[in-house]
Amino acid sequence: MAATAVIRLLVLLLGLNCAGAAEPGLRDPMRLPAVPVARVASGPAAAPTPAPKLTLVRIRAGQRTAWINNRPYQIGDQLDDARIVAIDLKGVTLQRGSSQQRLPLQDTRYVQPVGTLKRPPLPSPATKTTP
């Protein structure tokens, strides 16, 4: 008899739960809201490549590295349809077919070639005087 009462109670609770979910004004609080998904066009024109921006040039021990669009490149590397042919402290030269493009370093306030840093002189040892 007690088992039958428990089953009736469960059926009643489940029926109430299903009836509440069927009402149009109520929604499941644990369900994520529906967000429309943006469609991305396919093909080569879908993601335009940003214009190359040179942010850093590092020349160390004969190795020249240029940071373009937040990625490191060296002489001979490909950048989209161009090849890097020169890197110096003032910028990068790109070769596209038979034409060249100069990519200047925008902010040169902190440019100083490695090996030219001068350290301040060490303080001379303090001389002790005896009374």
Side-chain angles (χ1 to χ4, degrees), residues 57-79:
V57 170
R58 184 174 75 178
I59 300 174
R60 175 184 272 170
Q63 183 178 11
R64 297 169 180 258
T65 306
W67 284 80
I68 304 170
N69 295 342
N70 295 325
R71 292 183 180 216
Y73 292 92
Q74 294 180 347
I75 296 174
D77 289 348
Q78 286 290 128
L79 175 66

Side-chain angles (χ1 to χ4, degrees), residues 5 13 16 20 39 41 49-50 63 66 74 87 90 108:
L13 289 175
L16 288 175
R39 300 265 180 197
T49 306
Q63 183 178 11
Q74 294 180 347
I87 298 174
K90 294 183 180 180
T108 58

Side-chain angles (χ1 to χ4, degrees), residues 14-96:
L14 287 174
L16 288 175
N17 189 18
C18 291
E23 292 182 28
L26 298 177
R27 70 172 197 86
D28 184 4
M30 299 304 290
R31 186 173 183 168
L32 294 174
V35 177
V37 177
R39 300 265 180 197
V40 176
S42 61
T49 306
K53 181 179 178 186
L54 178 63
T55 54
L56 175 87
V57 170
R58 184 174 75 178
I59 300 174
R60 175 184 272 170
Q63 183 178 11
R64 297 169 180 258
T65 306
W67 284 80
I68 304 170
N69 295 342
N70 295 325
R71 292 183 180 216
Y73 292 92
Q74 294 180 347
I75 296 174
D77 289 348
Q78 286 290 128
L79 175 66
D80 297 329
D81 61 339
R83 188 171 59 89
I84 298 176
V85 293
I87 298 174
D88 57 43
L89 289 176
K90 294 183 180 180
V92 172
T93 305
L94 302 174
Q95 179 85 36
R96 283 192 173 93

Side-chain angles (χ1 to χ4, degrees), residues 95-100:
Q95 179 85 36
R96 283 192 173 93
S98 62
S99 65
Q100 289 189 348

